[in-house]
Amino acid sequence: MSTPAEAQPGAATAPASAVEQRLAELGLTLPEVAAPVAAYVPAIVSGSHVYTSGQLPFINGKLEATGKVSAGTEGFADEPTVSPEDAQRYAAVCAVNALAAVKSVIGDLDRITRIVKVVGFVASDPSFTGQPAVINGASELLGRVLGDAGQHARSAVGVAVLPLDSPVEVELVAEFS
């Protein structure tokens, strides 16, 4: 686990935001914003909203797993699969990566007043129908970190394939002051 920014040698002495402190209590730190894999930016501000691009579950700059999400009772044995439980954890990683993208454009996550919308994509075996439970990983993380401001509208969509063969992708819209 990484230490909070204020405890790292050479780091700025300003205390981390309350949101980042709650992340640290969960054993998480904000990563560097993932470099885009195509022609887009990670996040953009429009008025009092931040729209993030879809975030993949990069951990230390790489995908820990690839393939379709499958409960194990469907799919083909020659294709890599990811369990729904693992995919739910990866959806939470996507949410943390989305928060890093938000921070990159507004500077301080404590400025978030509400997560307005979350859209989650699950690369699914054709028979898999548990997309809402998978994307709960992102929704529950946002609720734990942001409290009431983390409650949001949401879509959870099954898709045939995602970039880099990622099992999940999450984007969000955050309102800030």
Side-chain angles (χ1 to χ4, degrees):
M1 175 181 90
S2 298
T3 57
E6 69 271 14
Q8 293 177 358
T13 58
S17 71
V19 172
E20 289 178 79
Q21 288 174 3
R22 283 191 290 281
L23 282 167
E25 290 167 6
L26 296 172
L28 303 167
T29 57
L30 286 179
E32 292 295 319
V33 177
V37 297
Y40 61 88
V41 295
I44 193 163
V45 173
S46 180
S48 62
H49 292 87
V50 176
Y51 296 80
T52 71
S53 295
Q55 299 294 311
L56 301 180
F58 286 116
I59 300 172
N60 297 320
K62 68 175 197 149
L63 290 177
E64 296 291 310
T66 58
K68 305 283 186 283
V69 178
S70 171
T73 57
E74 67 277 313
F76 301 102
D78 61 341
E79 294 180 347
T81 59
V82 175
S83 73
E85 297 79 16
D86 285 344
Q88 187 178 61
R89 285 190 291 279
Y90 293 134
V93 171
C94 292
V96 172
N97 292 345
L99 288 173
V102 170
K103 181 180 178 183
S104 76
V105 294
I106 66 170
D108 183 352
L109 293 178
D110 288 347
R111 295 180 64 194
I112 295 173
T113 57
R114 167 147 319 279
I115 300 298
V116 178
K117 176 86 180 207
V118 169
V119 180
F121 303 95
V122 180
S124 303
D125 177 88
S127 300
F128 181 72
T129 60
Q131 293 83 6
V134 168
I135 301 305
N136 277 350
S139 295
E140 291 169 0
L141 182 277
L142 292 167
R144 284 193 301 271
V145 172
L146 295 163
D148 288 343
Q151 302 304 307
H152 52 268
R154 187 184 87 181
S155 297
V157 181
V159 297
V161 68
L162 287 167
L164 306 177
D165 201 23
S166 176
V168 294
E169 179 176 348
V170 172
E171 64 182 51
L172 61 80
V173 177
E175 184 176 33
F176 70 98
S177 61

